[in-house]
Structure formats: C-alpha cells, structure tokens
Amino acid sequence: MTARSTNTGEGSGAHDPHRDIPEATVARLPVYLRALTSLAERNIASCSSEELATAAGVNSAKLRKDLSYLGSYGTRGVGYDVDYLSYQIAREIGVTHDWPVIIVGIGNLGQALANFSGFSSRGFRTVALLDAAPQMQGQAVAGLEVRPFADLAEIVAAEQVSIGVISVPATAAQDVADAMVGAGISSILNFAPAVLSVPPGVDVRKVDLSIELQILAYHESRKAAESAEAAATVDNGSEEGITA
Amino acid sequence: MTARSTNTGEGSGAHDPHRDIPEATVARLPVYLRALTSLAERNIASCSSEELATAAGVNSAKLRKDLSYLGSYGTRGVGYDVDYLSYQIAREIGVTHDWPVIIVGIGNLGQALANFSGFSSRGFRTVALLDAAPQMQGQAVAGLEVRPFADLAEIVAAEQVSIGVISVPATAAQDVADAMVGAGISSILNFAPAVLSVPPGVDVRKVDLSIELQILAYHESRKAAESAEAAATVDNGSEEGITA
DNA sequence: CGGAGTTTGTGACTGCGAGAACAAACTCGC
DNA sequence: GCGAGTTTGTTCTCGCAGTCACAAACTCCG
Ligand SMILES: NC(=O)c1ccc[n+]([C@@H]2O[C@H](COP(=O)([O-])OP(=O)(O)OC[C@H]3O[C@@H](n4cnc5c(N)ncnc54)[C@H](O)[C@@H]3O)[C@@H](O)[C@H]2O)c1
Ligand SMILES: NC(=O)c1ccc[n+]([C@@H]2O[C@H](COP(=O)([O-])OP(=O)(O)OC[C@H]3O[C@@H](n4cnc5c(N)ncnc54)[C@H](O)[C@@H]3O)[C@@H](O)[C@H]2O)c1
C-alpha cells in the first residue's frame, strides 16, 4: 500500500511493508490460516481469493486487501499457493515456532482448556498449570502436574513464558494479572468477567461468554419485537405503506 | 434488518429512540450492566458517568454516548441511579426475563459450560444438554441429564428455545447448526473453530480461543521485533541515551 | 507471438465509531 | 430565590474499515 518510503531509513528487505497491519486485519489472519490449513489437508495446492474467502467466510475483496498488507504473495491470473501463503501468514503472526503458555486457575474451565488439543496444533504449548487451592496441587491434569500459584515467577522465567491465560473467579483476576505482569508476562487472555488494568505494553484480550449471550439476546429481542410489530401492523390494517 | 421508514406512532414508551442502536454500543451494554451490578452489590445507589466508565474500562464520553441511545436516563449535575439504569439496560438487551438455552456437545468444554454458574445469574437458563455419543446419554452433568441429539427439535419446541450453544468438534459444527436452525433456533453461540453458514435471520457469534491467542502472539512478535530493533539502533549510535 | 480470459493488488468512496468540546439542565449553599 | 458548581446529552471532527471497481500482470490457446 502506497510505498511511502518517506519513512526513516529502514531499508530492511525486498518487501518493506511489514509495518502497521490494521487491527481488523490481524484479527482475520488466523481465520485465513485455518482455512488454508483445511485446504492443505484436502491436498489442494493453490486457490483463488474467491475460494479462500468463501472458506474463511469473508468478502473476497476484503481478503485480498488484507493479504496485500503482508506483501504480494499471490500470482495474478492464478491465485495463491496454499503452502506458501500459509507460511507467510504464520510468519507474520509469529506462529512459525511454538509459544509457551501457562494457565492459572484449574477449575471447570481451566481443566477444559488444559485438555484442549487445539492449542498445541496452532502454535501454542501449555507448559504449566497453576492453582492456588491446596487440594488441586500435585494433581495431574492433561498430563501436567498442577503447581502452586506461588511458583508463577519461577516458571515464567525458566520457560520464557510471555503469554498467560486467566481462568480464576472474577474477584481474583486482577491479583493474578498483577502477578503475571510482575513475573514478566506481557500478553494475557482473560476468561474472568472482570475489567483488568495493566501497565502499558501489556496486551489483554478477554473472552466473555455472558456478554456474547447477551448480545444474542438483544438481537433475539428485536426479532421478537419486529414480528410482534408486523402482526400488529396487519391487525391495524393499513398504517405504514407495507400494505400489500 | 429491513431499513424501516420513519416509524409513526409506537407510543409504547415515553421516548421514541428505541431504534437502531449501533452494534458497537450493543456489545458494550452488557459490560455496563455488569459494572452496575457490581456497584449495586456494594450498596452504591448512584454514580457519575466517570465512575461507571472507569468501572467498565471505557472512556466516559463513549459511555454517555452509548447510554444516550437508550434514552435520557441520567440526571444532569447528579449522575445515574444505579438500579434504574440497570433495569433500563437489562430491558433494552432483553434480559429482564430468562432465556432458555441448550448446549450441544457435552465434552470437555460443554461440561465446563454446563457447570458454569455465571449464565444463570445473567439472564440465561440452561434447559438441556445434548450429545450424540451413546455413552454420554443419561449421565448427569450439572444436575441435568444428557439427552440424545435426536431430541433436539422436540426440546426446542417444548421449551421455546431460541438460543443454542455449539461445543462439538469442528467437523460436526455445521451439521449441528443446520439441525438447530431446522428446529427453530435463531441465535447460535459457536465454540467450534469452523465457519458456519446459516440462513438470513439467524445470528451466529463465535468464540475462538486459538484466534485470540494468535492475535496475542502477533503483538508479542512485534514487541520482540521492536526491542530487537531498538537494540540495533543503540548499536548504531545515538538515539535513547541508554549509552551504557 | 499475440489476444482473450482470469485473477490479483490497489485507489476511491462511503459509513461507522471514537474522542473532544460545549451547551443544557440539575443541585446546593447562602 | 439565585448564582456557582457539577454532570449529562449532543454536536462536530477525524480516522479506520468495508466495498466497489478497475488497471496491471499472469496464463493459455490458437
Ligand atoms: N466454566 C465456564 O464454562 C466458564 C465460562 C465463562 C467464564 N468463566 C469464567 O472463568 C473463570 C473460571 O471459571 P470456572 O468455572 O473454571 O471456576 P472454578 O471455580 O471451577 O475454578 C476456579 C479455579 O481458580 C482457582 N483460584 C481461585 N483463586 C485463585 C488465585 N488467586 N490464584 C490461582 N488460582 C485461583 C480455584 O482454586 C479454582 O480451581 C471464572 O471467572 C468464570 O467466570 C467460566
Ligand atoms: N476444550 C476447550 O477448552 C476448547 C477450547 C476452545 C475451543 N474448543 C472447541 O470446542 C469444541 C468442543 O471441544 P471439547 O474439548 O469439548 O471436545 P470433546 O471432544 O471433549 O467434546 C465434544 C463432544 O461433542 C459430542 N459430539 C460429537 N459430534 C456430535 C454431533 N454431531 N452431535 C452432538 N454431539 C456431538 C461428542 O460426543 C463429545 O462429547 C471443539 O470444536 C473445540 O475445538 C474447545
């Protein structure tokens, strides 16, 4: 996009664009990567933007624009090489090597996460499970021993962990986040329904099921209201030019 | 949907604005609601937009703008009454009464969801758990008996369910979604890493942990690249007087 | 070798959302 | 009762993101 080389020096390499990928695009790259993986599993070697867009559930123009932020990895008149593009996206995201991850709070949700195989297959490796409850400690979950919360800093340092998952009750979430940041973690995935405050430089993403359900409920209410209104309109006879 | 023309009458409420709340606002209303609930639990009867915004982790101007879409429920010079505003938001979202919900796929994640108390306390009631595996059926999870997937339509009709949760493997997700839609469900919360296609009028929201982690990984990579670059710059000479 | 057909990459346009700033409206003290 | 102080509701502006449309670049076939 607009080779604005007016940037300070920095003549890094053949493709300069590596700067400033829009956040909305970053959020879609993993979706494209998954679609590509799925194509590769079906032994499809190349695909058009149209095909990939369909597989990813987006508009093809948006897909092409997104990919153009990474560089020109397609061939006009042909399409994209599945393996090549996969690698380029993985490299851009930074999942060409595995990221060590720790999970704090091995309750209902934490155990499900620990047992989830989808993480390891997508560039993440759970290196430790931590919990504050004495009765949890030493128990084996998903082949890992649950360790005391106090070991956090030690583990983070030893394993060079930069990503942490919080699945403790909301009341404990801020404390855990503080401890994580103190131990050197700089990216947090938070499942607790709490607003975390962290210093600049630390990224937090939250996953909140209640919110998702409430958003669905809102739209559901509106749908109900709409059909009720439509019925009322029919009742009323004319009113509103919707009359047949 | 249907771009409605200037709706006439609609004398239901004192304020007419009930139309067209921006999607971004809808996504924040549940956050405000939770912050208000938290304030109410601490016996705080009223609050300013500034306080509420802090509790919800947003900008106060944005909060006021969001709330203004619902109507004028605050008092200038005073602030918002916590209970009153809570009720108004809950009413707008449509969670003044409980929504029946079913969960399909009672594996690792499905069991965690079934055991999760946070749903029931926020306007949702799990009325049935369904799974296709014979060995799951009849088992009790979270006080509910797991029922065969074939009972889906019957349950949806009997309990008037309009919201369904999918926590089956990705390969089965589309089939489950189709069955849900066929049974009359019109809102789906999907945990499977798959792109669902549904007819118009059906809402789908997805929760994808791998994507969240990959987004974090992207930013983490950039942070690493940045500090490496900074180090290189220091090597180069001036810039940042960290000259050791 | 050249033209037809295909598909990418990108510029232009549009609409939404975030944030700052301010007028209107309310309370409180005197 | 009135002015000072406070806080909401709204207006304005700016930037980001989505979509369209098309030129550039490639392949294939005659
Ligand atoms: N279970 C779900 O499906 C689900 C869904 C959405 C959100 N959540 C959220 O995820 C979080 C965990 O839910 P859950 O159902 O697993 O709860 P849980 O009570 O089953 O597990 C919480 C675990 O965290 C541990 N813990 C508590 N305080 C701690 C601390 N300070 N340090 C370390 N460990 C601590 C507890 O010992 C316990 O094992 C909650 O915030 C919940 O709201 C859960
Ligand atoms: N476990 C996690 O923490 C986690 C995290 C993120 C995403 N997910 C996703 O959630 C989904 C479920 O994960 P899980 O770990 O619970 O898997 P799981 O294998 O433990 O459970 C899946 C359940 O679905 C049932 N099932 C399979 N096909 C079905 C069908 N057609 N109809 C009805 N039921 C069917 C199975 O019998 C099983 O009980 C997966 O798509 C996974 O990628 C899980």
Side-chain angles (χ1 to χ4, degrees), chain B residues 9-34:
Chain B
E10 165 56 294
S12 77
H15 326 79
D16 41 322
H18 284 232
R19 307 284 153 192
D20 279 348
I21 294 186
E23 196 54 33
T25 296
V26 171
R28 282 188 294 267
L29 289 179
V31 181
Y32 303 153
L33 187 52
R34 181 151 63 215

Side-chain angles (χ1 to χ4, degrees), chain A residues 105-118:
Chain A
I106 314 302
N108 275 320
L109 182 61
Q111 291 184 27
L113 295 173
N115 279 305
F116 182 44
S117 57

Side-chain angles (χ1 to χ4, degrees), chain A residues 104-111 130-133 135-136 149 166-172 175-176 191-193 207-210, chain B residues 109 111-119:
Chain A
V104 176
I106 314 302
N108 275 320
L109 182 61
Q111 291 184 27
L130 293 91
D131 201 294
Q135 68 269 25
M136 286 300 303
F149 182 58
I166 297 182
S167 56
V168 300
T171 48
D175 288 344
V176 172
F191 286 89
V207 173
D208 194 316
L209 313 188
S210 301
Chain B
L109 182 60
Q111 291 184 27
L113 295 174
N115 279 305
F116 182 43
S117 58
F119 290 159

Side-chain angles (χ1 to χ4, degrees), chain A residues 112-113 116 119, chain B residues 104-110 130-133 136 149 167-170 172 176 191-193 209:
Chain A
L113 295 173
F116 182 44
F119 289 158
Chain B
V104 176
I106 313 302
N108 275 320
L109 182 60
L130 293 91
D131 201 295
M136 285 301 303
F149 182 58
S167 57
V168 301
V176 172
F191 286 90
L209 313 189

